[in-house]
Amino acid sequence: MAAREWTDLPSELLPSIADRLGLIELLSFRGVCKDWNSASSTASAEIEALPNHEPWFLLYGENNSQCMLVTDSGRKYAISIPELDGATCLASNQGWLLLSREGSMFFFCPFSRAKIDLPGQFPHTVISDDHVAVFSSPPTSQDCFVCVISNSNETEELELYMIHRGATAWTKYQLDASTSKIDCSAYYNGVFYFFDNMDRMVRFSIEDRSLIMTQVRYIKSSKEKYLPLRFISDFEENDMKKRLGLGEGFPLSTCGTIVSCHRANKMIPYKNTGNAKEPGCRPLKGVWFQPRFYQIDQSQSW
C-alpha cells in the first residue's frame, strides 16, 4: 500500500486537528500550505490559556525584525516580527501587547499578527523607561481602558494619561507628587494600580477619576481584606532569569505583565538591567507575555 501525503488528509479533519494544537505547533501547522492555514482560521491555541501558566518572553530591539522567543520550558526560537522593529512595549496583558512607535500606539498579538491602532497621537513624542502602562481588558472588549503614567520631566508631578475605547483623544490627570521607578502595574475592579520600588502605590479610579498615592500595606492574616495581587518572590525571579540564560548585567529593558493565578494574580515587574551599549546602538528590549493566538476581523477598530 502506497504511503499517503499529509496533504491528502480529509479537509473536514483539519479544523479539529488545529483546535488541539499548542501555540508553536499551531504556527507550524498554519505554515504548511494555504489550505491548512485556512482550516485553522478559528483555532486559538487555548491549550496555553490556563491559570498559573508561566509567561513566555520575547527579546527584541536590534536593528531589524529578528526576535528571540523563550517559552515557559526555556526552549528558544528565532522569529521575525517586523511590527516590533523600532517599537517599545509599554504593557502586556492576556497575550496582547501595547506598543509605541513614532508617537503612535497600537495593540498587537505577536503570533497572529493581529493589530489594533489607538486613535490620535500620544501626548509625549519620546517614550522612556519611565513610562509604564496598563489596560483593563483585551482591546476587543467594549469596556477597554488604557492608562499610561510617568514622572514629569519638568515638575515634581506624576502625569497619567487615559483613553478608552470609543474616545478619540487622551485625557490628562496630574498628582502633585513623584515616585521612584514604577516596577509593577495592574488593574482590578475598576481601579488601575502602579507600584514603585519604595512600597508606594498610585491608584486611579475609573468611576470618579481620582488619582491618589498611598503606602502599600501587607496583610498579616488571610482574614484581612486584601487586593488580589502579589509581587513575585526572589525564587521566582531567579528562576525566570535562569530561563532566559542571559549573563549578569546584560543590558536589557523589560516590560512586565500579569499572570492569572487562583488566589492572587502575580505581577511580573518592569526591569532595567546592565549598561547601555555603544552610542548609536539600539538597546535590547524584552517583554513577558501570555502566549495567545487571537484572530480578529481586519476591519476591527478601536
Side-chain angles (χ1 to χ4, degrees), residues 17 33 113 128-129 159 200 253-255 258 267 284:
I17 294 173
C33 64
R113 309 289 281 276
S128 68
D129 293 335
E159 297 180 346
R200 287 175 294 202
S253 177
T254 302
C255 176
I258 295 287
M267 296 185 291
L284 282 174

Side-chain angles (χ1 to χ4, degrees), residues 7 9 47 65 112 190 220 225 228 231 249 254 296 299:
T7 52
L9 278 173
I47 190 172
S65 61
S112 68
K220 299 179 180 180
K225 290 185 177 180
F231 302 106
T254 302
I296 61 172
S299 62

